[in-house]
Amino acid sequence: MNETPTGQLPLRLRFPSPRRFDAFVAGENATALAAVTLLAQVPDADSLFLSGPESSGKTHLLSAAAAEARGAVYLPLRQLGAQAEAMVMAVVQAPLICIDEVDAIAGQRSLEIMLFDLFNRVREHRGRMLFAARHAPARLDIALPDLVSRLSSLVQLSLKPLDDTAAREVLMGRAQQRGFELADDVLEFLFRRFPRNLGAMLELIDQLDGESLAQRRRITVPFIRGIFDRRPE
């Protein structure tokens, strides 16, 4: 069996469950955590644009901000797909709009215009915005220059992925939230066996918990091997 079964992780596309600022392991991202927390709590705080690679904490911070600020909304553009335009424009009056996966609209003229219009309308009623993408606006291949200019005018913060020690802390914290402990040998196995994608590994922890409850078994290395040995190549 392939030892890096990326394609076998049965990850479902769905909005993340609400996350909290106090569960965010900052690592080198303490400045970003402080800025996003302020944005969620203070009505006249500066809007922000977060950039960073996968597993750097962008979605966690946006979800936490949306959960913290009364009336805020979280919208992941890639997951919304064809529904993005209708859903984004329906929430234009929200006090804080958290737009994740801005990368997804690059090169799609109608969606770029939609985001440009949203930006202007939110600014008119003094709303707050929090955007996130893998790269800063100028590197997103967005074709609409005015949209690049608007996004670039926001406070820019770059996130860095957690190192392995901090990533282990995050995984152990997720397990504790779900009511079980991750043994050291299980953690080592997960880091050897699966890609170093923290978001995918968090999803995996959730799925393993569901499997263990269904089978009434503890999460051990043999248990995990048994689950993936049953999955098709």
Side-chain angles (χ1 to χ4, degrees):
M1 182 177 179
N2 190 329
E3 286 295 298
T4 56
T6 311
Q8 294 181 19
L9 298 181
L11 305 181
R12 298 177 293 278
L13 292 177
R14 60 174 184 262
F15 288 12
S17 57
R19 297 171 186 172
R20 306 189 313 273
F21 288 125
D22 61 8
F24 184 76
V25 178
E28 298 182 64
N29 300 317
T31 298
L33 172 60
V36 175
T37 303
L38 183 69
L39 177 62
Q41 296 175 346
V42 179
D44 60 353
D46 291 331
S47 295
L48 305 171
F49 193 104
L50 306 181
S51 61
E54 253 187 315
S55 301
S56 57
K58 301 186 299 295
T59 293
H60 187 136
L61 287 176
L62 267 67
S63 178
E68 177 81 11
R70 184 183 298 274
V73 293
Y74 168 79
L75 298 173
L77 296 183
R78 192 179 311 280
Q79 294 190 58
L80 289 174
Q83 297 178 304
E85 186 167 0
M87 292 192 69
V88 167
M89 298 314 294
V91 300
V92 70
Q93 295 294 325
L96 174 61
I97 302 175
C98 303
I99 304 287
D100 205 355
E101 305 170 331
V102 176
D103 324 56
I105 69 158
Q108 300 184 57
R109 182 170 177 78
S110 64
L111 294 180
E112 289 184 6
I113 292 173
M114 172 271 296
L115 203 58
F116 177 73
D117 289 342
L118 171 73
F119 191 106
N120 291 334
R121 291 172 64 181
V122 172
R123 275 285 174 88
E124 285 177 3
H125 70 76
R126 299 181 182 277
R128 290 163 287 161
M129 293 169 284
L130 175 59
F131 295 90
R134 292 190 180 186
H135 303 292
R139 297 182 56 204
L140 287 180
D141 295 327
I142 292 175
L144 188 63
D146 286 341
L147 176 58
V148 175
S149 176
R150 294 292 194 279
L151 295 176
S152 297
S153 72
L154 301 177
V155 175
Q156 306 285 312
L157 294 169
S158 179
L159 301 179
K160 296 181 180 180
L162 297 176
D163 59 26
D164 283 356
T165 299
R168 282 175 166 81
E169 184 180 343
V170 172
L171 296 178
M172 289 188 293
R174 174 61 67 89
Q176 289 171 356
Q177 288 175 0
R178 299 187 71 94
F180 68 96
E181 298 290 329
L182 274 179
D184 289 342
D185 63 329
V186 172
L187 270 173
E188 290 301 324
F189 177 77
L190 294 177
F191 272 78
R192 288 198 314 270
R193 181 70 176 270
F194 297 100
R196 300 296 179 88
N197 179 317
L198 187 56
M201 292 184 81
L202 287 169
E203 291 277 1
L204 178 59
I205 294 297
D206 293 348
Q207 293 169 30
L208 291 174
D209 183 37
E211 292 271 5
S212 72
L213 291 173
Q215 298 186 33
R216 298 184 179 181
R217 292 180 57 190
R218 291 177 56 246
I219 296 177
T220 62
V221 171
F223 173 75
I224 299 171
R225 287 186 183 277
I227 290 174
F228 286 95
D229 284 348
R230 294 198 305 269
R231 299 194 190 282
E233 294 289 341

